[in-house]
Amino acid sequence: MTALILNLSPTIELTDEQFFQLCQNNRDLRLERTAEGELIIMPPTGWESGNRNSRLTQRLGNWADADGTGLAFDSSTGFKLPNGANRSPDASWVSQERLEALNPDPDRFLPLAPDFAVELRSASDSLKTVQQKMQEYIDNGVRLGWLIDPQNQQVEIYRPGRDIEILRSPTSLSGEDVLPGFILDLAQILS
């Protein structure tokens, strides 16, 4: 199954509150909204992608717990990006400093772009669509992004102001200066 995209504009223009309530009323659906107001309904992934994503989230969460400088999030977390889009990366991280400065409502979407975002391409994802989403993250303030693509056995690394770096069949990834000391072992995630 592929994502279903509903072009609501200009017939219906959901406010942030209406979109939030739509998500709350349909908790079994994974919903995102583009900056142009398109509603994206994403299907559940297959078991292999689900297992890979679980490992990714677990490894990031373990590092975040040990590091203590921020919080890790799974794919159910909504972010309101500066461009107006509502996105839910497969895994993400935000520094504690940014969270404390913002003091956001814990029951609402985070009104910022995460510092770090990961998209794990599933079999039903269009590579171009996921690449566009990664670029949107960077354009909205994400400092480091990884597109993990098991189908092509590669990882695309996104950083502000730099060309996309493509690694073929890497065994691990570094969190660089955004996640100091985080090394993601790609065993059972990429392969």
Side-chain angles (χ1 to χ4, degrees), residues 18 37 39 42 87 95 97 107 113 123 130 153 185:
Q18 288 170 326
L39 186 63
M42 295 171 288
R87 297 294 190 174
S95 74
E97 180 180 324
D107 297 323
V130 182
Q153 286 295 293
D185 179 358

Side-chain angles (χ1 to χ4, degrees), residues 14-27 31 33 39 78 86 105-110:
L14 296 174
T15 65
D16 289 345
E17 180 61 27
Q18 288 170 326
F19 178 72
F20 180 80
Q21 287 305 319
L22 181 67
C23 293
Q24 298 310 297
N25 294 342
N26 296 280
R27 290 183 175 269
L31 302 174
R33 181 172 58 162
L39 186 63
N86 294 95
D105 182 340
D107 297 323
R108 308 297 282 198
F109 300 143
L110 274 170

Side-chain angles (χ1 to χ4, degrees), residues 40-62:
I40 302 170
I41 305 168
M42 295 171 288
T45 63
W47 66 267
E48 186 173 46
S49 287
N51 181 261
R52 286 176 171 154
N53 201 57
S54 174
R55 291 174 189 282
L56 170 63
T57 303
Q58 175 189 23
R59 291 171 189 176
L60 178 61
N62 289 345

